[in-house]
Amino acid sequence: MTLVAGVDSSTQSCKVVVLDAGNGTLVREGRAAHPDGTEVHPDHWWRALSEAFDDAGGLADVSALSVAGQQHGMVLLDHAGNVVRPALLWNDTRSAGAAAALTDEVGAEDFVRRTGLVPVASFTITKVRWVRDHEPELADRVAAVALPHDWLTWRLRGYGPAASSPLGPDLEQLTTDRSDASGTGYWSPSAGEYDLGLFKLAFGKDAREATGNGRPGDSGSVILPRVLGPGDAAGGIHPDCFGSPAELPGLAGTGPAESGSGILLGAGAGDNAAAALGLGAQPGDVVVSVGTSGTVFAVASRAVADPSGTVAGFADASGEYLPIAVTLNAARVLSSVAGILGVDFDELSRLALGAEPGAGGVVLVPYFEGERTPNLPHAKASFHGLSIASSTRSNLARAAIEGMLCGLSGGLEALRAQGGAATRLLLIGGAVQNPAVQAIAAQVFDLPVIVPSPGEYVASGAAVQAAWAHHGSRPDWPVAVDAAPAPDFHPVIRQNYLRASNRIDPGN
């Protein structure tokens, strides 16, 4: 049996799965926590990766591994391979002003034509602009800009600061993949290459792609990771990457995969693209992920360019594209209303299923955290349609679930407005195990709804990449399904929601 491993280096933690490469069956897994915060030194991710490998029982029997990671995080390196400052993560909003400035300088339509994106504070390009403007002494030291999964892959191959890596600071060996590169704001999914003019506009320095061949390029330019294609290998894990083989169970006595032995490293991916691989998503599939925030993304056969910025036109990790819309309000809507009603999630579900579709006219517009889709950052949540007769606990519980799902359905409509095909909907995330969420999803979305079994789909998608690199073809692993609620579309739910949400003052 051939084993492959996948890593999900997320905001909160590092998760590792070891799978049977033949059928994708989980063999073992491990995890380790990441520190809280919106800026984190990458060394914390490195330690957590080692701990997660250990917790997963080591890698002695693993043939290939790939790393998926949180997107957009800015890792700045100097010529000696040192991290210049803690990485600014996707959820660090200090660069919102830089995003507005870049949009003004380039124009939203031109920006989206060139990159598929309109700048927001999440994207890497806004973070490098912020460093240029606010930390110029650090900007002067920057020799390379990488993303979280790029940096971890580079370190696993044995590169890094001379004092803590066997192969030293060879920045020309930095690699990334098209899915993660497409979230920077200076890489074009349609052209398949960096937009170096946009990078220079943001950071004030010329840039170039890493050579990857051991020969240095122009020493005066900032190095950006070489972009690998689907199924490509980045190299191999170096047995001494953690300082000593004994510190990483399973690496003692192996050599780098480039020399014909050891553990092969796949290209890696951004987290949403890896989740799409883990789910086996194909063109026409829409994935709705209900976590702290909500994401709606689809595998598409063409690049998407939305000048409104509602849909970000990313690339995926399979050679297709991954348009995505994000809502700020998802699972926390349910916990907030459950708290108001003084119930747990099970009781919230029972109450909601006791009310009729449409909740007796009660509508929750769930903008507890403001909202990104639509772009209403200062809005607040509000109940509508309350009367003496409709103000029941069951209607309030159902309105919470309907409102959360209607917010996500706005993301689906935004994807459709860009011409994307939608034939079925895959519903994932912890909150979707709630029976009421599953049943009401079949009433809100006018698509067949599939609820895959709970799993680490980002890490599993990275393992798909590992198997792809190892075998030379993308594996087709089955995905277990927990539920497929019968279609029961009630358009009145969405109609009531749209009437209520259209009353929200954009200035509030």
Side-chain angles (χ1 to χ4, degrees), residues 84-349:
V84 171
R85 69 166 334 278
L88 296 183
L89 306 187
W90 65 273
N91 55 350
D92 192 296
T93 59
R94 73 186 71 182
S95 59
L102 286 165
T103 303
D104 288 343
E105 291 165 20
V106 178
E109 290 193 4
D110 193 35
F111 217 110
V112 78
R113 178 185 61 79
R114 295 167 70 172
T115 67
L117 310 175
V118 176
V120 295
S122 297
F123 300 148
T124 320
I125 192 169
T126 72
K127 301 177 190 304
V128 298
R129 165 60 68 89
W130 185 89
V131 170
R132 187 202 77 173
D133 291 345
H134 294 271
E135 298 176 339
E137 71 288 353
L138 296 182
D140 287 342
R141 292 174 48 199
V142 172
V145 181
L147 299 165
H149 110 254
D150 309 344
W151 184 83
L152 288 169
T153 299
W154 186 65
R155 295 301 313 272
L156 282 171
R157 292 173 61 205
Y159 301 104
S164 59
S165 65
L167 299 181
D170 187 350
L171 301 177
E172 302 291 353
Q173 297 297 331
L174 283 164
T175 60
T176 190
D177 90 302
R178 64 195 299 273
S179 71
D180 223 359
S182 68
T184 60
Y186 45 81
W187 190 84
S188 169
S190 57
E193 61 187 17
Y194 286 111
D195 190 319
L196 300 177
L198 282 178
F199 183 90
K200 184 173 183 179
L201 176 70
F203 199 51
K205 292 184 177 182
D206 289 324
R208 61 175 177 82
E209 189 169 354
T211 64
N213 57 18
R215 296 191 298 273
D218 176 13
S219 60
S221 298
V222 174
I223 295 173
L224 304 176
R226 182 166 57 98
V227 182
L228 302 177
D232 286 350
I237 295 181
H238 194 285
D240 300 328
C241 61
F242 284 93
S244 165
E247 293 182 31
L248 184 58
L251 290 187
T254 69
E258 294 97 326
S259 65
S261 62
I263 301 170
L264 189 70
L265 267 171
D271 49 6
N272 289 308
L277 284 181
L279 289 163
Q282 301 291 332
D285 286 340
V286 177
V287 180
V288 174
S289 177
V290 186
T292 303
S293 59
T295 56
V296 183
F297 56 90
V299 177
S301 57
R302 64 173 184 85
V304 168
D306 177 11
S308 76
T310 301
V311 176
F314 295 164
D316 81 342
S318 75
E320 304 284 357
Y321 300 91
L322 201 78
I324 183 170
V326 178
T327 68
L328 298 181
N329 299 278
R332 287 184 294 187
V333 174
L334 306 188
S335 59
S336 296
V337 175
I340 292 170
L341 296 175
V343 299
D344 60 16
F345 282 151
D346 289 340
E347 180 64 8
L348 185 77
S349 178

